[in-house]
Amino acid sequence: MTTVMEDVKRVEGSEIKVITGTGAAAYGAKLSRVKVVAAYPITPQTAVIEYISEFIAKGEMKARYLTVESEHSALASCMGAAVVGARAFTATSSQGLALMHEIIIWTAASRIPLVMVNVNRALAAPWSIWTDTQDSMTQRDTGWMQVYVENNQEALDMVIASYKVGERVLLPTLINLDAFILSHTSEPVEIYPQELVDEYLPEYNWPYKLDLSNPTALGGLPPKFEDYFKMRIKLHKAHEKALSVWEEELENFAQAFGRKYEHVQPFMLDDAEVAIVVYGAVSTTVKAFVKELRERGEKVGVLRLRTFRPFPEQRIVEALRHVKKVAVLDRAASWGLGGIVAPELRNALVKAKLDIPVIGYITGLGGYEVNFKLLNLMMEDLTERDEHVD
């Protein structure tokens, strides 16, 4: 596993800590000056909240920690805190994320810019604590933005950036990191000076916050059918706007902190004839595999997706329009259809009138290891495929 510490100039006054992905996410919340945290512990998310509770207990983080009886209550509490003007944060995993589903929909439709870290873990049954992305992918149509990180530094950085973007477009963000591969693996992470983060991320100000001196209602019954429809149209347009706002704010992030992030990350893709599309921590393994293929003279590249919602169609098309074939590595399934990312990516290429075969591969479910042996089998199969396969 590699880290983003390579070839990056440290910010003056920053500190390097060797910490887990859960710790990095917690530091992101701390640096974002979150005021309310509510969460229910679930393996492997628990350490995120343990870090934060320790920050609060030591007086290093001026926030209110709410103990609740379930993940459903945790997100409801964060929603309540946010609508009265407090920047709120929570974290969960797997069955906990599934239990939140009702409030996940409420939060997005109410246009509340919460940030939630999800430590990707397989859904039951059978019972599993290992990683795949079925938990977060099942929430793809709820109205939340979704980001998949590759390493621990990115886990910290995306918490800060998600608040900045979400508070501009009024949308919540789900930040996803792989269970154990990132959550319990330690890497060097740069902790930025608080004053620099404060310059990048101003004080939270939700424009519709509830105020006792000016009573209003939230989420009530609209008087006309078309009012409901109009609100849903605005939610969709907010996602469309978010693509450009993300790009703008990530450029500001790069200027402030020295790290450049984009919706998609090409790797050895310029002259590639075959592209492997991947997301999350397994991207590091796939990049190392492609470097080995290149040494054997095979023209293969990688396109790593960082943003999944809103779906960056234009950036994907720009990156892949020259390749002859695309393999998509999904770590989740849409039962009865096939993969989840593969059909969406194929749709983007078809809309752009690009006749490029997209072959979907579902693997890594329940923590099944995605290694070079498995990737070689995929490449052998790929050579025989010339048509779309889910």
Side-chain angles (χ1 to χ4, degrees):
M1 183 176 291
T2 59
T3 75
V4 291
M5 300 304 297
E6 301 169 2
D7 303 322
V8 175
K9 185 178 179 180
R10 278 183 57 186
V11 173
E12 185 177 351
S14 68
E15 180 182 6
I16 302 298
K17 289 183 178 289
V18 178
I19 54 177
T20 61
T22 49
Y27 269 100
K30 177 175 178 281
L31 289 169
S32 299
R33 292 196 183 275
V34 167
K35 297 302 181 186
V36 174
V37 179
Y40 192 82
I42 180 172
T43 302
Q45 159 265 36
T46 307
V48 179
I49 306 308
E50 289 176 340
Y51 265 95
I52 289 176
S53 63
E54 188 171 335
F55 292 153
I56 295 172
K58 290 181 176 179
E60 298 173 4
M61 182 175 178
K62 295 181 179 179
R64 176 82 178 272
Y65 180 78
L66 304 178
T67 55
V68 292
E69 73 278 8
S70 73
E71 288 88 355
H72 186 282
S73 299
L75 189 55
S77 298
C78 287
M79 178 179 172
V83 299
V84 295
R87 185 173 283 150
F89 173 86
T90 189
T92 191
S93 183
S94 186
Q95 307 298 136
L97 184 66
L99 186 58
M100 289 177 170
H101 183 72
E102 179 192 9
I103 309 301
I104 285 173
I105 295 172
W106 263 89
T107 306
S110 300
R111 308 294 299 278
I112 299 170
L114 293 174
V115 171
M116 174 160 55
V117 168
N118 177 58
V119 183
N120 284 119
R121 172 187 137 185
L123 289 166
W127 197 252
S128 173
I129 61 169
W130 308 113
T131 191
D132 65 32
T133 59
Q134 195 73 43
D135 56 354
S136 54
M137 286 292 176
T138 59
Q139 304 296 336
R140 68 188 184 275
D141 299 326
T142 57
W144 282 59
M145 297 187 289
Q146 285 200 29
V147 176
Y148 289 81
V149 305
E150 185 178 359
N151 52 57
N152 295 354
Q153 182 70 55
E154 194 173 347
L156 183 151
D157 293 350
M158 286 303 106
V159 173
I160 299 169
S162 293
Y163 278 115
K164 187 67 181 290
V165 174
E167 289 169 13
R168 280 191 58 184
V169 298
L170 302 183
L171 290 173
T173 309
L174 187 66
I175 301 170
N176 299 285
L177 62 147
D178 292 61
F180 300 105
I181 297 172
L182 294 184
S183 67
H184 287 62
T185 300
S186 294
E187 296 178 341
V189 174
E190 184 174 6
I191 312 298
Y192 309 117
Q194 184 65 63
E195 57 271 20
L196 189 60
V197 178
D198 291 343
E199 290 178 17
Y200 175 80
L201 181 63
E203 189 174 340
Y204 172 65
N205 182 28
W206 194 54
Y208 310 107
K209 70 179 180 181
L210 301 182
D211 185 350
L212 291 176
S213 63
N214 181 30
T216 55
L218 175 69
L221 190 69
K224 300 177 182 177
F225 291 119
E226 53 264 37
D227 291 333
Y228 180 93
F229 199 4
K230 288 176 182 177
M231 291 177 188
R232 286 300 183 267
I233 292 171
K234 289 181 178 181
L235 181 62
H236 178 70
K237 289 187 177 298
H239 272 263
E240 291 181 326
K241 179 183 177 182
L243 284 167
S244 59
V245 173
W246 265 109
E247 291 182 347
E248 181 182 329
E249 291 300 348
L250 289 177
E251 182 59 41
N252 293 336
F253 190 96
Q255 293 176 15
F257 305 105
R259 287 189 170 82
K260 177 64 176 175
Y261 295 108
E262 297 176 318
H263 291 307
V264 298
Q265 181 190 62
F267 178 80
M268 294 186 167
L269 196 60
D270 289 345
D271 64 339
E273 296 179 356
V274 174
I276 303 174
V277 178
V278 68
Y279 56 92
V282 74
S283 304
T284 302
T285 303
V286 176
K287 289 176 191 176
F289 174 71
V290 164
K291 285 181 71 174
E292 188 176 279
L293 294 183
R294 284 286 181 163
E295 291 171 2
R296 303 200 308 243
E298 299 183 39
K299 290 188 175 181
V300 182
V302 178
L303 185 67
R304 179 207 155 197
L305 299 187
R306 175 178 288 108
T307 309
F308 178 62
R309 283 291 184 271
F311 195 64
E313 286 190 5
Q314 182 180 348
R315 296 295 178 229
I316 290 169
V317 169
E318 289 171 0
L320 297 179
R321 64 169 57 253
H322 68 283
V323 303
K324 297 178 180 179
K325 193 179 296 187
V326 177
V328 179
L329 216 60
D330 259 309
R331 297 196 73 169
S334 180
W335 309 115
L337 173 65
I340 292 176
V341 175
E344 296 205 11
L345 187 139
R346 181 182 302 114
N347 182 57
L349 296 178
V350 170
K351 285 169 66 176
K353 296 180 170 55
L354 295 174
D355 187 19
I356 303 171
V358 175
I359 296 88
Y361 295 91
I362 301 170
T363 188
L365 300 184
Y368 191 90
E369 184 182 4
V370 180
N371 53 28
F372 280 25
K373 180 180 179 181
L374 186 70
L375 293 171
N376 272 312
L377 289 173
M378 181 190 76
M379 293 304 297
E380 290 173 11
D381 181 80
L382 191 63
T383 59
E384 302 174 5
R385 307 283 185 180
D386 293 312
E387 297 180 352
H388 297 299
V389 180
D390 283 333

